[in-house]
């Protein structure tokens, strides 16, 4: 069974750094892209970027380029989304998903809620 | 930037047919994908490549394409179908990044 399990909810202060994770199982982690999606409170879905764990090829949506870093450790089948300096506007639910570039996201993680507040 | 346009809301009574549209210039050249998201849950893929249904998705969910508009149709709507629905596609180059539509809230009256 394909599963993506994300790390737990986080509460951070503005300016702090953060790295959240997404662990894949039940399939060949290095053979599929992993994408990250943001959902701000009460709002729609936004693609942030994707990574191919096999060779760490990474592509960012223009709105998120330079704002976050996507990485992966294929030895432990885990993808990451990180911020170096959080802002209150980063408060959102973040989902990872197994994706085919320019095509479907067929399996999703359960989401990680990030709250940034002073 | 490339945009997909969906109606903000659609309302239907149980047993009726709901149709949710998604419009964009590149849709004649690019596949569309549909996701269902219920409150407090992660999205679920319900249609891929315009009209294909993943395993486990009820047959009442179907997709179609005509020109610059794709349509998600839910026949015999049930109360459990009340959710937000998002379309997804790519621009005419077909490369990443793909985008989501703004989402449509389906209300079952």
């Amino acid at each position: 069974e394909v599963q993506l399990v994300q790390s737990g909810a986080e509460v951070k202060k503005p300016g702090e750094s953060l790295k959240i994770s997404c662990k894949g199982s039940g399939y060949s982690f290095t053979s599929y892209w992993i994408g990250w999606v943001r959902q701000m409170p009460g709002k729609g879905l936004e693609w942030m970027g994707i990574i191919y764990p096999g060779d760490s090829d990474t592509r960012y949506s223009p709105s998120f380029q330079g704002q976050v870093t996507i990485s992966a450790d294929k030895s432990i089948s885990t993808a990451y989304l990180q911020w170096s300096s959080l802002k209150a506007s980063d408060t959102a639910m973040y989902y990872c998903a197994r994706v085919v570039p320019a095509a479907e996201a067929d399996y999703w993680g359960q989401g990680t809620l990030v709250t940034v507040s002073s | 930037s490339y945009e997909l346009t969906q109606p903000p809301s659609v309302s239907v009574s149980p047993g009726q047919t709901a149709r949710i549209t998604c419009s964009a210039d590149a849709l004649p050249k690019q596949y569309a994908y549909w996701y269902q998201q219920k409150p407090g849950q992660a999205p679920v893929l319900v249609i891929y490549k315009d009209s294909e249904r993943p395993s486990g998705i009820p047959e009442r969910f179907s997709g179609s394409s005509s020109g610059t508009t794709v349509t998600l149709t839910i026949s015999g709507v049930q109360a459990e179908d009340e959710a937000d629905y998002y379309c997804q596609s790519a621009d005419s180059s077909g490369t990443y990044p793909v985008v989501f539509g703004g989402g449509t809230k389906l209300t079952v009256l």
Side-chain angles (χ1 to χ4, degrees):
Chain A
E1 178 194 10
V2 175
Q3 283 193 313
L4 295 172
V5 178
Q6 298 185 229
S7 51
E10 301 274 0
V11 179
K12 292 289 190 178
K13 295 186 181 334
E16 292 186 331
S17 62
L18 176 63
K19 191 174 189 178
I20 63 175
S21 65
C22 169
K23 183 173 178 60
S25 62
Y27 72 101
S28 175
F29 188 73
T30 54
S31 299
Y32 289 84
W33 293 74
I34 292 285
W36 287 95
V37 174
R38 183 177 77 175
Q39 188 167 38
M40 300 177 75
K43 302 298 184 182
L45 306 174
E46 302 173 89
W47 277 109
M48 301 176 72
I50 56 174
I51 186 166
Y52 189 71
D55 61 6
S56 292
D57 184 7
T58 308
R59 306 175 192 181
Y60 293 92
S61 293
S63 299
F64 294 94
Q65 180 81 48
Q67 307 304 308
V68 296
T69 300
I70 294 171
S71 60
D73 184 341
K74 61 184 180 183
S75 70
I76 56 172
S77 301
T78 300
Y80 301 97
L81 177 66
Q82 68 180 83
W83 296 258
S84 59
S85 180
L86 287 160
K87 303 182 286 287
S89 58
D90 292 318
T91 294
M93 182 70 81
Y94 293 88
Y95 294 101
C96 66
R98 191 179 81 165
V99 305
V100 177
E104 68 267 25
D106 56 359
Y107 290 92
W108 293 69
Q110 83 276 20
T112 295
L113 180 63
V114 174
T115 303
V116 184
S117 174
S118 54
Chain B
S1 62
Y2 189 57
E3 293 187 359
L4 302 173
T5 301
Q6 298 181 234
S9 62
V10 169
S11 299
V12 295
S13 298
Q16 291 190 327
T17 296
R19 294 180 179 86
I20 300 172
T21 59
C22 174
S23 299
D25 289 343
L27 285 175
K29 303 176 185 177
Q30 299 296 336
Y31 284 124
Y33 303 82
W34 290 95
Y35 301 89
Q36 175 195 67
Q37 187 182 32
K38 296 181 180 179
Q41 297 185 20
V44 173
L45 178 70
V46 294
I47 293 290
Y48 67 100
K49 292 184 178 179
D50 288 348
S51 59
E52 301 294 319
R53 194 173 52 248
S55 61
I57 300 301
E59 290 184 7
R60 64 180 181 273
F61 288 86
S62 64
S64 60
S65 177
S66 179
T68 59
T69 299
V70 294
T71 302
L72 172 69
T73 301
I74 310 172
S75 304
V77 166
Q78 301 181 7
E80 67 195 50
D81 299 330
E82 185 163 288
D84 294 323
Y85 291 85
Y86 295 90
C87 63
Q88 176 205 288
S89 190
D91 67 14
S92 56
S93 69
T95 59
Y96 189 80
V98 298
V99 295
F100 289 108
T104 299
K105 170 67 177 176
L106 175 65
T107 300
V108 181
L109 301 170

